[in-house]
Amino acid sequence: MAKTDPDETWPTRRECVKYGATLLTAGSLAGCSGVSSEATESGETKAGPDRSFSGTMAPVGELRLESSPETIVGGWGFEEDILTALGEADKLIAAEGNQFWFTGFYDQLPGVDVPDPDSLELVRTDDWSLRTEVLYELDPDLFATDPNRFISYYGADEGDISEINDSIGPFFGNASRRKRGDDWPTWPGGESYPYYDIPEFVSRYGALLGKSETAAAINTLYEQALQEMRSRVPPVSDRPTVGLLNAQINPGNEGFFRAYNPRTEIDKAYGKKQYRDLGVVDAFEGEYGGQSGIQVDYEALLDIDPDVLVFHFGINYRDWNGEDALRKTVEGMRDSSLGQELTAVQEDELYVGGSAYQGPIINLFQTEMLGKQLYPDEFGEWPGEITAGELPAIPEGEQLFDRDELADILAESSGGTDSQ
C-alpha cells in the first residue's frame, strides 16, 4: 500500500485486521490492502464483494476484518467450544480461564483436535487482575470475549478496555452464560445489551470468521438433535425430582452444600441450558428467594430429599488443582451417616454434571448425558460411574445425535474459510 505523504497516517494491515468498522472511517477502510469500496446512491461507502469477514455482536456492534484473525484470546470455555465448531480452535493462544473448558467430549469425534487448555496463556493473575503486559506481548488479532467481563471480573476500567481495543485487538463477545447483575458494566455504548442463545453465537462468530456455511450446518444439526431430545422428555408426573449441587463445595471444605436453581431468568442463557431443555423438576423450587443458589446442609437435603442428585461442574472438578474434588464430595456424602439416609445415595442416583461453559458441541454431549441420567427408560441408561476417572463413550446404537455427521462438519470447517 503506497503512501505519498510521509505525514499521512493510513492504517497498517494489522490495524485493519484489528479495528472494527465503527472505529474506522470508510476512507481508511478503503486504504487497507485487499479491501475495496464503492459509493452508494446515498453517498455512503460500503465494502466491496471481497470483504467477507464481518460480524455484529452486542455490546461492540459491527466488526469488520480484512482477513481471518490468526491469533485469538478466548474466554472460559464457551467461546473455545464455538471456535472448535468452526474449525478455528488452533488459533487460540490465550484465555481468561482454562479450568472450565472441558475437552474430553472431543475425543469421541474422529479427527477433531484442539489445543491443550493448559497450554493457553492466562490473561489474568491468580488474584484476578488483568495481565496487561502479557496482552501486549501476545498481541492477539481478536479477543473472543465480552469486554465488560474484563471490567467486571478483572478490575479493568473503561479506559483500559479502550486502550486494549485500540492498541492490541478488538473485542467480539457477549456475556450470556447467566443473568448479568444490576451493576454489570456497559462499555462502549453505556446501555444495557441483549443476550444471545447458542445458535446466534455460532452464526455471529461464523460471519466474522468467514465460516457462515459451517455455522449454518452446525446449527442445523444442533437444533434438530435438541428438538428430537426435547420431544421425548417424559410427562412431568414421570420425571424424578432433581437437586443440582456444586460438585466441589461440600460440608468438609465449606461447611455446606450449594444447591443451584437449574433454571435462569434469561431464556437464552446457556450455562444451565440442558436442565431447561429437558424439563428438570427442581427439588428446591421456591427455596431460592430470588437467588441463583442457596446454602444447604444435610438436614436441609434430607428435608427435601431429591430423587436424583446431579453435581454441577462435575466434569471440571474431577481434576481440580491436582485432585478429584468431585470424588471427595461424593465419597464424603456416602460416608456420612446423614448422607446415607438420602434417597439418591441409597438408590445410587448420583451423577456427574456438565460444565456451564458449553457451546454447541459440549452442550449436545451434556444434554445427551443428562437425558440418560434422568430418563433412562426413554433415552437408555447412562453407563458412567460418578467416581470413574473418564467419561464413558455411548455405544453407537444408544447415541442421541450423530457423531459422524458432526465430525464431518468439523473436518470440512478446518483449514480455511467457507467458499463465498
Side-chain angles (χ1 to χ4, degrees):
M1 181 168 62
K3 204 166 58 164
T4 58
D5 185 346
D7 293 328
E8 192 173 7
T9 55
W10 284 6
T12 65
R13 176 197 175 280
R14 182 164 182 76
E15 289 169 336
C16 291
V17 168
K18 289 175 177 290
Y19 294 135
T22 57
L23 303 180
L24 288 174
T25 66
S28 65
L29 278 172
C32 295
S33 173
V35 180
S36 63
S37 66
E38 58 184 77
T40 65
E41 292 181 359
S42 64
E44 296 177 347
T45 302
K46 65 179 183 179
D50 56 344
R51 164 77 65 181
S52 59
F53 303 96
S54 175
T56 301
M57 186 179 297
V60 299
E62 183 181 14
L63 178 63
R64 288 187 287 170
L65 307 178
E66 181 193 46
S67 60
S68 181
E70 297 178 1
T71 53
I72 301 175
V73 171
W76 285 85
F78 171 71
E79 293 86 356
E80 287 84 338
D81 192 48
I82 290 178
L83 292 172
T84 300
L86 296 172
E88 302 283 288
D90 61 336
K91 297 181 178 181
L92 285 162
I93 58 172
E96 293 177 66
N98 51 24
Q99 305 100 316
F100 292 110
W101 184 25
F102 180 70
T103 60
F105 292 124
Y106 306 138
D107 296 338
Q108 301 182 35
L109 298 172
V112 175
D113 295 315
V114 297
D116 182 345
D118 290 336
S119 71
L120 303 179
E121 189 73 63
L122 285 179
V123 303
R124 57 166 180 82
T125 64
D126 290 340
D127 60 359
W128 292 68
S129 297
L130 200 59
R131 302 174 68 196
T132 306
E133 291 185 2
V134 171
L135 298 184
Y136 275 94
E137 292 171 1
L138 292 171
D139 198 23
D141 293 330
L142 181 70
F143 288 91
T145 186
D146 189 328
N148 291 297
R149 211 154 56 192
F150 277 32
I151 298 174
S152 181
Y153 287 7
Y154 315 127
D157 58 32
E158 292 190 355
D160 297 328
I161 300 305
S162 296
E163 176 67 21
I164 292 170
N165 189 85
D166 294 344
S167 302
I168 304 178
F171 289 88
F172 195 76
N174 176 294
S176 290
R177 176 172 70 90
R178 60 184 181 184
K179 182 182 179 182
R180 306 174 199 128
D182 293 337
D183 59 347
W184 187 260
T186 54
W187 186 93
E191 299 178 355
S192 61
Y193 50 98
Y195 296 79
Y196 299 125
D197 61 21
I198 288 176
E200 287 176 305
F201 274 107
V202 173
S203 294
R204 291 171 188 275
Y205 274 108
L208 181 69
L209 301 173
K211 295 292 186 71
S212 290
E213 293 179 11
T214 297
I218 289 289
N219 281 343
T220 296
L221 183 152
Y222 174 79
E223 292 176 312
Q224 289 178 347
L226 286 187
Q227 181 179 0
E228 171 66 16
M229 285 188 249
R230 287 193 296 262
S231 72
R232 295 171 57 186
V233 172
V236 173
S237 58
D238 293 337
R239 302 175 203 170
T241 60
V242 178
L244 185 62
L245 303 183
N246 183 284
Q248 187 265 341
I249 296 175
N250 59 67
N253 57 28
E254 297 287 345
F256 54 84
F257 295 104
R258 184 161 184 82
Y260 290 112
N261 186 344
R263 291 182 290 274
T264 62
E265 295 182 41
I266 306 300
D267 288 340
K268 291 188 174 184
Y270 59 78
K272 301 171 189 170
K273 186 176 187 297
Q274 67 271 39
Y275 305 105
R276 182 170 66 245
D277 282 344
L278 296 184
V280 165
V281 176
D282 180 18
F284 291 93
E285 185 172 2
E287 300 291 327
Y288 301 103
Q291 303 299 311
S292 62
I294 53 174
Q295 297 178 8
V296 295
D297 55 19
Y298 276 116
E299 287 77 9
L301 268 179
L302 282 167
D303 185 50
I304 299 293
D305 200 21
D307 297 322
V308 173
L309 291 174
V310 176
F311 293 89
H312 195 36
F313 286 109
I315 60 173
N316 303 116
Y317 286 124
R318 292 176 311 127
D319 183 8
W320 192 253
N321 297 325
E323 69 174 18
D324 190 334
L326 170 63
R327 179 186 290 268
K328 294 182 75 170
T329 296
V330 171
E331 291 184 348
M333 182 175 285
R334 286 173 170 166
D335 291 340
S336 166
S337 58
L338 291 175
Q340 291 169 9
E341 296 181 30
L342 291 165
T343 296
V345 173
Q346 294 176 0
E347 301 296 328
D348 200 24
E349 295 287 345
L350 308 176
Y351 295 107
V352 58
S355 172
Y357 296 92
Q358 51 180 344
I361 302 174
I362 295 175
N363 180 248
L364 276 177
F365 277 100
Q366 293 188 161
T367 306
E368 176 187 68
M369 180 172 75
L370 183 68
K372 289 179 173 292
Q373 292 167 345
L374 300 187
Y375 314 129
D377 290 343
E378 177 59 40
F379 295 118
E381 294 277 353
W382 170 249
E385 161 60 39
I386 188 169
T387 54
E390 298 292 335
L391 292 182
I394 306 299
E396 184 173 352
E398 301 175 20
Q399 296 169 2
L400 303 184
F401 65 93
D402 193 327
R403 269 74 160 165
D404 290 335
E405 181 181 356
L406 177 56
D408 288 345
I409 295 172
L410 301 184
E412 292 173 4
S413 71
S414 300
T417 59
D418 292 337
S419 58
Q420 300 296 324

